[in-house]
């Protein structure tokens, strides 16, 4: 039958409408203007029924931990000083897709060399797309994404282009809005510091071990020197053997008389015959001219 789907849909809408009123009656006096955020969580949970209206700004929905809005700079509180974790390396400005971050590094006034601290840090929150790439790629955990989304104003040039002082927030604030991320990052940081300390201790122990090695080798020698030397008993000399009589030298053989070399008479070479000059061959007579042929 045509129209049954429409009737089923309208029945679902009517059930939700009546359920909203029934839920309001159940939470009567506890829903509106309640400072307890668990009231809203209960209405949003699986046990809640019907539609629900949040009376903003008197009521605000709690944001999840991974919610991100604009970035902020983390600094550690050391007394009255603010120790910013940022080293002005510029990685966040390079990876920013809309290019809304500008950083100026600090220079030493005496030497002019760069100092790993930002002198100026600006973010245009109207251009920022809240992607979180800056916080993800920062190697020092110096920039994080904030939960504050109430940043509307009528003056863009003053409120929406934030400088270093406006962006800076303490580490305790980051721990309050992202407790699980903070604990995980601090555990990784402590593990890295422990590895560095162990490596430095191992490097410092190597020279001490090298110095201790010769001292250990020399210790047994000193102990050996401290013991009194035992005198060896004199051995009795063995009786000397009589030398054997020397053999007489054999008489030297007389040298054989050298044979006289028979002098062979030198063969005289025959006198060379004078070369006979060859007679020149007679010149050939010129060939006779042929008679002209008769006509």
């Amino acid at each position: 039958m045509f129209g049954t789907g429409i009737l089923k849909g309208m029945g679902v809408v009517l059930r939700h409408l009546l359920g909203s009123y029934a839920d309001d009656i159940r939470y009567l006096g506890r829903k509106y203007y309640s400072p307890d955020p668990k009231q809203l969580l209960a209405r949003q949970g699986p046990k809640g029924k019907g539609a629900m209206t949040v009376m903003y700004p008197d009521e605000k929905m709690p944001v999840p931990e991974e919610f991100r809005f604009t970035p902020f700079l983390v600094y550690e509180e050391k007394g009255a000083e603010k120790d910013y974790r940022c080293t002005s390396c510029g990685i966040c400005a390079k990876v920013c897709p809309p290019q809304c971050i500008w950083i100026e590094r600090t220079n030493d006034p005496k030497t002019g060399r760069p100092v790993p601290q930002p002198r100026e840090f600006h973010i245009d929150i109207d251009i920022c797309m809240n992607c979180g790439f800056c916080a993800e790629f920062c190697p020092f955990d110096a920039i994080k994404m904030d939960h504050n989304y109430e940043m509307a104003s009528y003056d863009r040039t003053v409120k929406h282009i934030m400088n270093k002082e406006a962006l800076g927030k303490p580490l305790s604030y980051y721990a309050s809005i992202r407790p699980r991320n903070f604990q995980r990052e601090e555990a990784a940081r402590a593990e890295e510091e422990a590895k560095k300390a162990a490596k430095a201790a191992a490097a410092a122990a190597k020279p001490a071990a090298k110095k201790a090695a010769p001292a250990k080798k020399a210790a047994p020698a000193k102990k050996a020197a401290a013991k009194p030397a035992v005198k060896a008993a004199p051995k009795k000399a063995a009786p000397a053997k009589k030398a054997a009589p020397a053999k007489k030298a054999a008489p030297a053989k007389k040298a054989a008389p050298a044979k006289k070399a028979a002098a062979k008479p030198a063969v005289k070479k025959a006198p060379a015959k004078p070369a006979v000059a060859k007679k020149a061959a007679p010149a050939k007579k010129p060939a006779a001219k042929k008679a002209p042929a008769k006509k």
Side-chain angles (χ1 to χ4, degrees), residues 27 30-46 48 52-56 58-62:
Y27 284 94
R30 295 180 295 163
K31 187 239 179 190
Y32 296 108
Y33 308 105
S34 175
D36 189 4
K38 293 182 180 180
Q39 298 283 343
L40 294 175
L41 293 176
R43 294 293 302 268
Q44 284 185 319
M52 182 187 65
T53 302
V54 177
M55 306 300 291
Y56 182 84
D58 298 319
E59 288 182 342
K60 297 179 182 178
M61 298 294 294

Side-chain angles (χ1 to χ4, degrees), residues 2-216:
F2 293 102
T4 54
I6 297 176
L7 293 175
K8 288 180 180 179
M10 293 299 293
V12 171
V13 173
L14 183 61
R15 188 168 61 250
H16 279 238
L17 176 63
L18 297 176
S20 300
Y21 285 107
D23 213 34
D24 284 343
I25 294 172
R26 187 172 60 176
Y27 284 94
L28 184 63
R30 295 180 295 163
K31 187 239 179 190
Y32 296 108
Y33 308 105
S34 175
D36 189 4
K38 293 182 180 180
Q39 298 283 343
L40 294 175
L41 293 176
R43 294 293 302 268
Q44 284 185 319
K47 295 182 179 180
K49 296 180 181 180
M52 182 187 65
T53 302
V54 177
M55 306 300 291
Y56 182 84
D58 298 319
E59 288 182 342
K60 297 179 182 178
M61 298 294 294
V63 296
E65 183 174 345
E66 297 301 328
F67 173 78
R68 59 177 185 264
F69 200 64
T70 56
F72 68 93
L73 295 177
V74 179
Y75 64 82
E76 297 179 7
E77 296 174 309
K78 295 183 177 179
E81 296 182 0
K82 298 179 181 179
D83 185 13
Y84 285 85
R85 287 183 173 181
C86 179
T87 61
S88 62
C89 63
I91 293 178
C92 56
K94 291 177 182 177
V95 301
C96 179
Q99 294 292 296
C100 65
I101 301 176
W102 296 273
I103 305 172
E104 185 177 350
R105 181 178 289 177
T106 306
N107 292 330
D108 192 341
K110 294 182 180 179
T111 61
R113 294 182 178 180
V115 178
Q117 291 178 359
R119 183 168 62 182
E120 295 292 340
F121 200 110
H122 296 276
I123 295 180
D124 192 338
I125 63 172
D126 286 341
I127 301 176
C128 177
M129 57 188 291
N130 316 121
C131 63
F133 280 4
C134 53
E136 183 177 351
F137 283 93
C138 180
F140 306 103
D141 294 328
I143 186 168
K144 297 297 180 182
M145 304 304 291
D146 203 352
H147 286 180
N148 182 23
Y149 52 85
E150 298 176 324
M151 305 178 71
S153 69
Y154 292 101
D155 192 350
R156 177 185 180 279
T157 57
V158 176
K159 297 291 184 180
H160 293 184
I161 300 178
M162 305 181 72
N163 57 11
K164 177 182 171 182
E165 286 71 23
L167 292 169
K169 292 186 178 180
L171 185 62
S172 57
Y173 172 77
Y174 172 64
S176 64
I177 64 173
R178 296 181 183 267
R180 288 182 295 177
N181 290 356
F182 173 74
Q183 292 176 3
R184 183 173 62 251
E185 291 170 5
E186 289 301 314
R189 187 186 295 273
E191 185 179 355
E192 190 67 22
E193 292 294 332
K195 287 181 181 179
K196 289 182 181 179
K199 189 175 181 180
K206 283 182 180 179
K210 287 182 180 179
K211 290 180 180 179
K216 288 181 180 179

Side-chain angles (χ1 to χ4, degrees), residues 255-294:
K259 294 181 179 180
K260 293 181 180 180
K264 294 183 179 180
V267 181
K268 294 181 180 180
K269 294 183 180 180
K273 294 181 180 181
V276 181
K278 294 182 179 181
K279 292 181 180 181
K284 292 182 180 181
K285 293 181 181 181
K289 294 182 180 180
K290 292 183 180 181
K294 292 179 180 183

